[in-house]
Amino acid sequence: MGRVVRALVRPWVVGVAVVAVVGVGFGLYWFQPWKLWQDKTVQEALPGTVDVAKSPGAAPSGESSASAPARPVTLANGELISHEHATSGTVRLVRLADGSHVVRLENLDTSNGPDLRVWLTDAPVKEGRAGWRVFDDGQHISLGRLKGNKGSQNYVVPEDIDPARFNSVTIWCDRFDVSFGAAELART
């Protein structure tokens, strides 16, 4: 009788073990919990900024140059607030000298996570849990994957997009449809 019970239990135990291993593997792939302890710092300069003192052909001090290129102009800015994860830093919408636009994250500090994106959106920024999931309800444009969860970095706004149609920026986790943090853009 003991052999029969062992013979019937063994396939069941093996089946449960296989399902458990597959489940743990899928859970690790889906949630990627190790990213919560891994930081990636990215420090990018604002495109189109030139240190006049070091640029070749710069006019001597006291002289102005009539052909000096236009400088980048901040059109809107805002402070990041926390949503799903503690997030801080500044967001700027900048028009570059060539007329193109970038969203610049400065002094960003947030958690790392799976499939994080930077979105330009038309949604209002709400504090607390009420703001976690509002950004995919209206218009939004993905500016690409978050380059790093710390530092200062630039995200190009596509030429065919009018940035004036959008009034907020979010760091969006595409895998779980939740905002890590967001900033309302105040026009300057």
Side-chain angles (χ1 to χ4, degrees), residues 2 5-6 21 41 43 59 63-64 67-68 78 87 91 112 115 142 160 166 186:
V5 169
R6 276 189 251 153
V21 167
T41 301
Q43 293 293 348
E63 293 181 27
S64 64
S67 63
T87 302
V91 176
N112 204 344
D115 206 14
S142 177
D160 60 335
F166 301 97

Side-chain angles (χ1 to χ4, degrees), residues 42-47 76 78-80 87-94 102-110 116-120 143-156 168-172 181-183 185:
V42 173
Q43 293 293 348
E44 293 181 325
L46 181 62
E79 293 293 321
L80 286 163
T87 302
S88 64
T90 304
V91 176
R92 291 174 44 205
L93 174 61
V94 179
V102 296
V103 168
R104 179 158 174 81
L105 305 179
E106 295 178 329
N107 302 315
L108 173 66
D109 188 2
T110 190
L116 294 180
R117 309 286 175 152
V118 176
W119 281 11
L120 194 56
L143 302 179
R145 289 188 177 274
L146 185 68
K147 297 173 185 177
N149 64 307
K150 295 189 181 300
S152 297
Q153 47 215 259
N154 307 301
Y155 296 88
V156 176
S168 61
V169 172
T170 182
I171 297 171
W172 185 256
L185 293 174

Side-chain angles (χ1 to χ4, degrees), residues 82-85 126-136 170 172 176-180:
S82 300
H83 282 148
E84 174 69 25
H85 291 268
K126 299 177 183 178
E127 295 203 24
R129 292 187 78 120
W132 287 16
R133 300 185 189 278
V134 299
F135 298 100
D136 60 348
T170 182
W172 185 256
F176 295 106
D177 292 329
V178 68
S179 172
F180 273 36

